Amino acid sequence: MAEQQANQITLETPVQFLKGVGPARGKAFGELDVRTVGDLLEYYPRDWVFLPEPVQICDVRANQTVCIVGIVEQTDWQPYRKIPIFEITLADETGLMRVVWFHGRYLINQLEPGKVLLVHGKAKKYKYQLQMSNPKFIVLQEDQPRGPEAFSGPVYPATAKLQSWQIKKIMRSHIDEMAPLVPELFDEAFSKKNELMARPIAFRQIHGPDDEDTLAQAKRRLKYDELFLMQAGLALRRYHVQHGNPAIPMRCEETIDHRIRRRFPFILTEDQENVIGEVVADMAKEIPMNRLLQGDVGSGKTVVALYAALTAVANKCQAVIMAPTEILARQHYQNMERFLKGSRVKRELIVGGITGKKRQAVLERIKTGDVDIVVGTVALLQGDIDYANLGLVIIDEQHKFGVHQRAGLRKGRSPHCLVMTATPIPRTLAMTAFGDLDVSVIKHSPPGRGEVITRWVQPHDRNKAMDFIRQRLKAKKQAYFVYPRIDSEEPGDSEKTDIRAAVDEYHRLQSTVFPEFKVGLLHGQMPTEEKKDIMAAFRAGKLDVLVSTVVIEVGVDIPNATMMVIENANRFGLAQLHQLRGRIGRGQSKSYCFLFAETEDETAVSRLDIMTRSRDGFEIAEHDLKLRGPGELFSTRQHGLPDLKIANIVEDFDLLNLARRDAFAMIQIDPTLTQKPHALIRGELIKRFGTKLGLVDVG
Ligand code: ADP
Ligand code: MG
């Protein structure tokens, strides 16, 4: 039996049964999430090398691109140059070569003396000597083959137990029997139209390319497939929302529109008008609205939300508005109260503090239809709450909610759904993480916003900044002080010395820096009631300074707070800095944001730099994506999508567009994927998404 398995492999065969693998390596593969032959095929190289045969050092000429194999004789990290360099001397039997890497600190532990190295790059004259700068390199293991064919080809992400060359050897000996097992997903016409290389061939080439052209085609094919399957999943998800239970179509004729507008003490901006137009058009349909509204902090999304909610109420439906935290839920409620003073619309706030009989009474009224608008936190999603006639769900700060939570809302009934986020979402993410939603954007904030001046403050300028803040506090302006952590004694952190903590700084600021002012403290571990009281006191001007952690991150709106200090600003991400700064500049007067930071870290410096230059959320988001790469910013799993193993949503944006168009078109024509040519796609989707897409009959 075992023998037969060894002879006839399938995509499901465990890798350990492959010749040359065995149980020990099988286990090592398991740690890389590679269990079957199918997994192994999708264990893609991280790079491909096309190297010429190595030459001897004495034969190297200036301006030649060459390969050299040598032993590391000396290493030297030189951090104090204008551009820090890591320098080594590489030796073979015929001579020495100086090799340098700019900013090469990361190499200190990799390239110790005695290691055997293959370097590939251009040799140049530098001070009468040949040297190589920033060459590609491979550290050669003792038992690793040294022939030229051993260097060229795929480079695999490796572990201590499984070196790249070992994986390569296994791939090479099995690829001929493995690659043909892969099914083609598309028919010939489709592949031809999109110029797709055959899928089995793509797998063979990706693991052992003939040349760079063929490799490029193979990569394109496999990336396309991955993106196509992701988009097909999104298209299906969208299809099910649209064709599941219908929503209640809502009308918003002139009388209703007038009645709603009367509530706003200002003229709506053009962007607000446009978005309201889109929302109203969606809500008029029987297909449930499924729309994402993005707009920077302070751009006026709440007004759009309220407009939509009042439209629902005018159509005798209930609306819920949900925020990620209680503070924000309360604030939404208070804002709404401001606009709805004297209105007959019945609204209720449900948060954790409201319990027992009181809560029961409210729930009962929601059930009988005696409440029109309910404001609360995510708890409203999870709950025990029955609505008489829920017509609209609004979720604020969507990026804090998972897709699954979103999906959970849809059980039983189909309300229209509007999700809002102040995190500007780059186009790529809008097409992936939120790829099943329609997207509206508010680009320009309402007029009359004060300027926000942002400065990066170095340690020697701290006192100057504090004096400045003191002057403005005297003039009755308020300030936020934001810290990266609550306590200085958080466990498991050894290098905490330079990190300031909210609790300590609160005491210090109150007793020694600003004794003449009132300082308050707010952080996530405080009881809800206390948080509420502190926020209320700050809002009412009873506190001058609010010391806080990132809990004030989203949505808080206090126009008189015109100053913000962010301590250890280098420790915050760009999106977070931008969000935090959005708390100020909300009134007419000029605001000031001070980023206190001491750092030489390159990306931290670019983050601080862009913050001082731009207030445009989209510009900042694009920068963020470039600095961090999509991997960190966008974890597919977190969004309920399968992992991307080869495609990169930023670099492969054009391909993503193509795949998206094709996938949505296919689902439009064959939403159950039951047509014969789509059977394999259906199978792949079930493999990737499981039962989530409704392609499998459960039970
Ligand atoms: P967001 O929710 O997008 O952060 P808000 O809806 O809270 O922004 O609006 C921020 C502030 O701007 C609020 O005080 C709001 O009353 C005000 N505002 C909203 N729309 C307008 C407008 N068209 N003209 C003037 N002020 C507006
Ligand atoms: Mg808001």
Side-chain angles (χ1 to χ4, degrees):
M1 186 66 197
E3 203 153 292
Q4 196 182 358
Q5 264 173 336
N7 289 335
Q8 293 178 353
I9 59 166
T10 69
L11 292 175
E12 273 71 47
T13 306
V15 276
Q16 73 169 85
F17 293 139
L18 289 176
K19 224 172 122 213
V21 179
R25 282 198 182 144
K27 202 161 155 254
F29 269 119
E31 283 162 24
L32 298 170
D33 271 338
V34 173
R35 297 196 169 75
T36 63
V37 165
D39 296 339
L40 185 62
L41 279 167
E42 286 191 10
Y43 194 72
Y44 298 117
R46 62 171 169 78
D47 198 6
W48 294 263
V49 183
F50 295 90
L51 291 182
E53 267 192 55
V55 298
Q56 298 195 303
I57 289 177
C58 68
D59 293 331
V60 179
R61 298 286 167 265
N63 298 321
Q64 259 182 342
T65 299
V66 291
C67 249
I68 303 171
V69 176
I71 187 161
V72 179
E73 290 239 305
Q74 276 178 23
T75 67
D76 188 16
W77 167 236
Q78 301 163 26
Y80 300 112
R81 289 171 167 256
K82 201 151 82 195
I83 301 173
I85 63 168
F86 183 73
E87 175 181 335
I88 68 168
T89 309
L90 198 66
D92 68 5
E93 303 87 59
T94 69
L96 300 174
M97 172 76 74
R98 182 171 179 259
V99 184
V100 303
W101 285 269
F102 299 115
H103 302 289
R105 177 189 212 129
Y106 63 100
L107 296 169
I108 293 175
N109 294 322
Q110 275 183 66
L111 303 185
E112 291 149 339
K115 293 237 158 136
V116 179
L117 216 57
L118 173 131
V119 294
H120 176 235
K122 199 178 217 176
K124 284 201 172 149
K125 269 249 166 69
Y126 177 77
K127 293 188 178 159
Y128 309 107
Q129 245 188 335
L130 281 179
Q131 95 165 27
M132 272 184 178
S133 308
N134 300 322
K136 283 193 172 186
F137 70 91
I138 307 171
V139 180
L140 302 179
Q141 307 301 318
E142 258 173 44
D143 46 354
Q144 185 170 0
R146 301 273 157 94
E149 84 290 342
F151 305 133
S152 284
V155 182
Y156 291 92
T159 61
K161 287 182 217 153
L162 264 177
Q163 302 281 326
S164 168
W165 63 269
Q166 293 172 314
I167 300 173
K168 185 167 149 186
K169 201 168 142 197
I170 292 164
M171 286 289 187
R172 184 178 296 171
S173 53
H174 294 287
I175 192 69
D176 283 341
E177 52 179 332
M178 296 195 301
L181 301 172
V182 176
E184 181 52 69
L185 293 179
F186 305 117
D187 60 30
E188 213 165 301
F190 188 97
S191 297
K192 202 163 168 200
K193 184 186 100 214
N194 285 320
E195 299 177 353
L196 298 175
M197 171 189 264
R199 194 165 147 85
I201 296 178
F203 272 104
R204 177 199 297 266
Q205 287 294 325
I206 209 85
H207 291 295
D210 291 342
D211 52 55
E212 297 193 53
D213 266 358
T214 324
L215 172 64
Q217 284 183 51
K219 271 199 223 170
R220 182 170 175 280
R221 169 67 209 248
L222 297 174
K223 286 176 173 185
Y224 178 89
D225 288 1
E226 210 169 63
L227 295 168
F228 179 93
L229 291 167
M230 170 171 72
Q231 292 297 324
L234 288 165
L236 277 169
R237 202 144 79 184
R238 184 182 162 88
Y239 182 89
H240 285 298
V241 171
Q242 295 195 329
H243 295 82
N245 299 340
I248 301 167
M250 301 192 186
R251 297 180 319 171
C252 183
E253 63 268 300
E254 244 181 272
T255 48
I256 296 178
D257 177 68
H258 276 289
R259 237 168 46 216
I260 297 175
R261 278 170 198 270
R262 271 212 320 262
R263 294 270 150 211
F264 304 130
F266 37 65
I267 296 170
L268 299 186
T269 64
E270 198 182 321
D271 284 356
Q272 282 172 325
E273 291 288 359
N274 290 339
V275 173
I276 285 173
E278 289 168 335
V279 168
V280 165
D282 282 356
M283 287 171 66
K285 292 185 196 145
E286 261 199 314
I287 295 175
M289 170 165 72
N290 201 24
R291 185 169 287 278
L292 171 71
L293 168 56
Q294 17 173 343
D296 225 332
V297 277
S299 62
K301 296 184 297 296
T302 311
V303 168
V304 175
L306 192 54
Y307 190 105
L310 292 174
T311 303
V313 174
N315 282 269
K316 311 234 166 347
C317 288
Q318 292 168 305
V320 301
I321 302 177
M322 285 176 299
T325 66
E326 292 207 11
I327 291 185
L328 292 173
R330 266 174 219 286
Q331 187 176 282
H332 264 299
Y333 188 73
Q334 282 158 7
N335 267 340
M336 200 168 74
E337 290 302 291
R338 226 175 56 197
F339 292 121
L340 294 186
K341 210 171 273 166
S343 151
R344 276 179 323 208
V345 172
K346 293 184 190 130
R347 55 269 181 198
E348 284 291 341
L349 173 70
I350 298 194
V351 284
I354 300 164
T355 52
K357 280 216 179 93
K358 204 167 155 205
R359 184 180 157 94
Q360 274 315 315
V362 175
L363 294 191
E364 190 56 34
R365 287 178 51 221
I366 294 174
K367 195 170 168 181
T368 56
D370 192 37
V371 178
D372 300 312
I373 301 180
V374 186
V375 181
T377 61
V378 229
L380 293 179
L381 285 180
Q382 284 143 6
D384 47 342
I385 304 179
D386 273 329
Y387 296 88
N389 192 21
L390 181 60
L392 173 69
V393 171
I394 296 169
I395 311 177
D396 198 10
E397 297 312 335
Q398 158 65 20
H399 60 292
K400 303 256 156 127
F401 297 90
V403 168
H404 297 297
Q405 278 170 301
R406 238 202 281 152
L409 265 180
R410 306 235 169 233
K411 277 193 197 111
R413 44 175 93 86
S414 273
H416 292 289
C417 186
L418 177 68
V419 295
M420 307 196 289
T421 176
T423 306
I425 301 168
R427 284 183 307 162
T428 41
L429 293 192
M431 282 172 56
T432 48
F434 303 99
D436 54 341
L437 306 179
D438 296 308
V439 178
S440 296
V441 181
I442 298 183
K443 274 228 163 76
H444 304 285
S445 297
R449 279 296 140 77
E451 200 185 341
V452 178
I453 303 211
T454 303
R455 293 269 182 272
W456 173 9
V457 181
Q458 308 273 1
H460 56 270
D461 280 333
R462 285 180 74 97
N463 288 338
K464 232 163 70 191
M466 290 302 202
D467 287 341
F468 179 88
I469 292 166
R470 190 172 292 112
Q471 289 311 315
R472 299 193 56 86
L473 288 172
K474 268 191 200 141
K476 285 277 159 253
K477 294 291 179 197
Q478 292 165 286
Y480 297 102
F481 276 65
V482 184
Y483 297 86
R485 59 169 51 164
I486 301 175
D487 284 310
S488 50
E489 274 154 44
E490 277 173 30
D493 201 336
S494 49
E495 28 102 65
K496 60 191 169 200
T497 43
D498 72 311
I499 305 171
R500 293 181 188 242
V503 176
D504 302 350
E505 290 293 299
Y506 158 67
H507 292 298
R508 199 178 64 85
L509 288 174
Q510 181 66 89
S511 61
T512 59
V513 186
F514 299 127
E516 69 272 45
F517 299 112
K518 280 224 142 306
V519 182
L521 173 67
L522 181 80
H523 62 71
Q525 284 173 15
M526 283 166 35
T528 311
E529 279 303 303
E530 208 173 313
K531 278 195 272 192
K532 196 183 86 189
D533 293 345
I534 295 281
M535 272 324 279
F538 190 62
R539 191 184 301 277
K542 290 179 193 148
L543 295 171
D544 304 292
V545 173
L546 184 64
V547 171
S548 155
T549 55
V550 291
V551 287
I552 54 147
E553 193 180 342
V554 267
V556 173
D557 186 10
I558 300 173
N560 192 50
T562 57
M563 292 175 281
M564 175 173 283
V565 167
I566 304 180
E567 279 278 11
N568 301 111
N570 50 309
R571 299 193 148 255
F572 292 90
L574 203 40
Q576 212 169 22
L577 289 173
H578 177 65
Q579 288 286 349
L580 285 167
R581 184 175 55 180
R583 304 301 107 238
I584 56 172
R586 302 190 64 108
Q588 307 253 340
S589 36
K590 215 181 211 181
S591 290
Y592 299 87
C593 177
F594 298 106
L595 306 172
F596 284 12
E598 186 179 11
T599 181
E600 278 167 31
D601 178 77
E602 245 180 280
T603 54
V605 169
S606 356
R607 286 200 298 267
L608 295 168
D609 182 55
I610 181 75
M611 282 298 292
T612 59
R613 282 189 291 116
S614 175
R615 209 184 150 190
D616 174 344
F618 285 94
E619 187 182 346
I620 290 174
E622 292 291 344
H623 259 267
D624 204 19
L625 197 60
K626 274 192 209 121
L627 284 177
R628 293 205 275 169
E632 202 185 316
L633 198 61
F634 168 67
S635 129
T636 42
R637 277 215 188 136
Q638 181 195 323
H639 291 280
L641 300 171
D643 279 334
L644 291 177
K645 292 180 178 163
I646 189 165
N648 174 314
I649 56 168
V650 176
E651 286 164 20
D652 304 318
F653 185 67
D654 292 339
L655 206 57
L656 172 61
N657 261 313
L658 179 70
R660 179 173 174 85
R661 218 180 47 215
D662 292 344
F664 274 72
M666 185 177 289
I667 297 304
Q668 179 95 37
I669 294 167
D670 183 15
T672 50
L673 291 174
T674 38
Q675 289 176 19
K676 211 164 160 224
H678 302 154
L680 284 168
I681 295 171
R682 189 163 180 272
E684 283 294 315
L685 283 173
I686 291 170
K687 235 188 328 191
R688 276 155 212 252
F689 289 86
T691 55
K692 277 183 290 185
L693 299 175
L695 287 173
V696 201
D697 297 324
V698 189

